[in-house]
Amino acid sequence: AHKKYTNHLRLDTVAVTPRQRNAIYGTVGLFALLEGAAANISYERHIISLGKFKRTAIALRAAYGGFASIGGSGTTIILVPNFIFGRKRSHFEFGVGPLLLIDGFNGSRAFIPSINAGYRYQNPEGPFLFRTGFGTEGIYLSLGSAFFKRKKK
């Protein structure tokens, strides 16, 4: 009977272990056909976990950055939900949402779709975050850190 109680305690401890719900990362992307580059800094908040073992998650990503190409340069603001599939450390992610493009020459603004798909390495318990894939940012690479948002006492 004592052994069952000990196992029950360990399961409870694992079940309430908090996950890294926030992330900050930098992204650099290269456009092969447009001969340009993009860079941004992103904040991401994990908002929903789905599935019996939480293999699927939805995170909201906000990014601010810029781009430069032969045709000009400007600022980008991205707000997309990221759909994350996988378990343990390796994940597939897909995101789609609006991207506000502000032309650096004349200040004109346009909304275009922001789409990304790629591989994500993130240990649920650790801080290191790595992303790579392709999308509106070109062929991209991201490095950053996941963290807990501390509660005020």
Side-chain angles (χ1 to χ4, degrees):
H2 179 61
K3 188 174 182 179
K4 282 186 180 179
Y5 181 72
T6 303
N7 285 340
H8 179 68
L9 272 178
R10 268 190 273 160
L11 287 174
D12 283 350
T13 303
V14 171
V16 297
T17 300
R19 301 283 185 198
Q20 306 284 18
R21 296 184 59 114
N22 302 281
I24 293 180
Y25 51 87
T27 301
V28 175
L30 299 174
F31 307 117
L33 299 176
L34 300 177
E35 297 183 14
N40 62 52
I41 185 95
S42 297
Y43 169 75
E44 188 178 85
R45 171 75 176 166
H46 177 110
I47 54 176
I48 298 172
S49 292
L50 304 169
K52 184 176 179 183
F53 298 105
K54 298 185 179 177
R55 293 181 180 154
T56 303
I58 300 172
L60 188 59
R61 174 183 174 216
Y64 178 81
F67 71 94
S69 69
I70 290 177
S73 63
T75 302
T76 57
I77 300 171
I78 302 170
L79 185 62
V80 299
N82 261 349
F83 301 91
I84 304 166
F85 307 93
R87 31 189 290 204
K88 297 187 181 178
R89 296 177 178 104
S90 292
H91 303 87
F92 169 76
E93 69 174 11
F94 173 78
V96 61
L99 181 150
L100 175 60
L101 192 61
I102 304 169
D103 188 297
F105 180 70
N106 63 16
S108 65
R109 298 165 188 219
F111 280 100
I112 64 171
S114 175
I115 301 169
N116 69 285
Y119 171 78
R120 178 187 190 112
Y121 174 89
Q122 181 180 357
N123 184 339
E125 309 300 330
F128 181 70
L129 173 67
F130 168 79
R131 300 169 63 239
T132 187
F134 61 93
T136 309
E137 298 162 310
I139 298 170
Y140 65 84
L141 175 71
S142 302
L143 293 174
S145 181
F147 60 95
F148 298 105
K149 184 174 181 182
R150 303 214 184 267
K151 294 181 181 178
K152 295 180 182 179
K153 292 183 179 182

